[in-house]
């Protein structure tokens, strides 16, 4: 019973991360890696493994800008989180 | 919904070990998650709370995520998936090392990779919020 209930919940909930991923394409994002390095750029595309392609990327190590890349590919296993940036008015 | 409030429930569906591997998922992380629904005693304990049910109850409320490293994240839980990748809102990130203790507040939404989550605390407010904390 509970298995079925939980399966139902999980199938409806399963959409949330993949929905999120579809919504944020094209937005400026912050990608933090396990190592703590931060990358800010415009999200070009990504996939279910959290592999990410960023454009106009800036690399922040310990809060300091270290590098700028035109295009950057990040392998998904390194990704800690992907965050969108809300524009403050 | 099955909220059995009864005596000895003779449940029709066998509650032995069932492996429900949810394949055909989006494969967000490389790992597969197998849910073993195993009742220790098949007589009592029908109303057990599964871990993911608990997480599901948290949706819409504040949750405190503790990572395997010295990092904690607090936010509103919007959703999660089979691998407990989580979508959070209004997020504050805490580095709980002895020297740092930095708080990085991010707004909007984040997708947190479930690979590195160690613990989830429903309704938690994060480390050292509230004043009565140990001082190092």
């Amino acid at each position: 019973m509970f298995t079925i209930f939980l399966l139902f919940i999980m199938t409806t909930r399963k959409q949330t991360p993949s929905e999120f991923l579809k919504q944020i394409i094209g937005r400026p994002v912050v990608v933090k890696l396990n190592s703590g390095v931060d990358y800010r750029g415009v999200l070009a595309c990504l996939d279910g493994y959290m592999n990410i392609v960023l454009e106009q990327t800036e690399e922040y190590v310990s809060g300091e800008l270290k590098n700028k890349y035109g295009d950057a590919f990040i392998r998904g296993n390194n990704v800690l989180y992907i965050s969108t940036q809300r524009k403050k008015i | 919904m099955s909220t059995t409030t009864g005596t000895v429930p003779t449940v029709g569906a066998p509650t032995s070990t069932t492996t429900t591997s949810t394949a055909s998922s989006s494969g967000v992380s490389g790992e597969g998650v197998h849910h073993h629904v195993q009742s220790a005693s098949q007589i009592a304990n029908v109303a057990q709370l599964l871990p993911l049910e608990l997480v599901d109850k948290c949706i819409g409320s504040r949750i405190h995520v503790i990572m395997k490293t010295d990092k904690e994240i607090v936010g509103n839980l919007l959703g999660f998936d089979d691998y407990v990748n989580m979508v959070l809102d209004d997020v504050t990130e805490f580095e709980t090392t002895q020297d740092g203790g930095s708080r990085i507040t991010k707004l909007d939404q984040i997708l947190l990779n479930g690979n590195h989550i160690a613990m989830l605390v429903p309704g938690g407010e994060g480390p050292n919020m509230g004043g009565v904390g140990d001082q190092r």
Side-chain angles (χ1 to χ4, degrees), chain B:
Chain B
M1 308 304 157
S2 54
T3 53
T4 58
T5 60
T7 56
V8 180
T10 57
V11 184
T15 55
S16 52
T17 308
T18 58
T19 307
T20 61
S21 59
T22 56
S24 74
S25 53
S26 59
V28 183
S29 73
E31 304 167 2
V33 175
H34 298 285
H35 300 279
H36 291 273
V37 179
Q38 185 177 10
S39 60
S41 61
Q42 294 186 357
I43 302 177
N45 279 345
V46 178
Q48 48 184 339
L49 183 64
L50 295 175
L52 293 183
E53 283 180 18
L54 177 60
V55 181
D56 185 70
K57 285 186 179 184
C58 290
I59 289 182
S61 61
R62 210 78 181 143
I63 193 168
H64 171 199
V65 182
I66 301 174
M67 317 295 289
K68 295 179 193 173
T69 57
D70 293 326
K71 192 186 287 283
E72 308 182 14
I73 293 188
V74 178
N76 290 325
L77 178 59
L78 296 180
F80 66 102
D81 62 4
D82 300 349
Y83 305 103
V84 202
N85 297 310
M86 304 174 71
V87 182
L88 300 170
D89 202 354
D90 195 11
V91 173
T92 309
E93 174 183 355
F94 297 90
E95 296 267 3
T96 57
T97 58
Q98 288 189 355
D99 287 346
S102 59
R103 291 185 339 191
I104 310 168
T105 305
K106 298 174 299 298
L107 299 179
D108 216 345
Q109 302 179 357
I110 83 165
L111 173 62
L112 182 64
N113 197 338
N115 258 324
H116 308 96
I117 294 177
M119 200 153 66
L120 302 176
V121 183
E125 281 300 327
N128 293 334
M129 297 269 292
V132 185
D134 46 353
Q135 297 180 354
R136 297 189 175 178

Side-chain angles (χ1 to χ4, degrees), chain A residues 1-3 5-7 9-10 13-14 16 20-21 32 34 48-50 79-84 86, chain B residues 1-2 20 22 27-28 37 46 52-53 56 59 67 71 80 82 93 107-111 113 116:
Chain A
M1 284 292 192
F2 281 101
T3 315
F5 175 72
L6 188 59
L7 266 180
I9 289 293
M10 288 181 344
R13 288 291 167 261
K14 207 166 36 173
T16 311
F20 177 76
L21 295 180
K32 187 146 198 166
N34 302 330
Y49 295 102
M50 291 200 192
V79 173
L80 178 65
Y81 65 68
I82 305 169
S83 169
T84 54
R86 183 173 291 170
Chain B
M1 308 304 157
S2 54
T20 61
T22 56
V28 183
V37 179
V46 178
L52 293 183
E53 283 180 18
D56 185 70
I59 289 182
M67 317 295 289
K71 192 186 287 283
F80 66 102
D82 300 349
E93 174 183 355
L107 299 179
D108 216 345
Q109 302 179 357
I110 83 165
L111 173 62
N113 197 338
H116 308 96

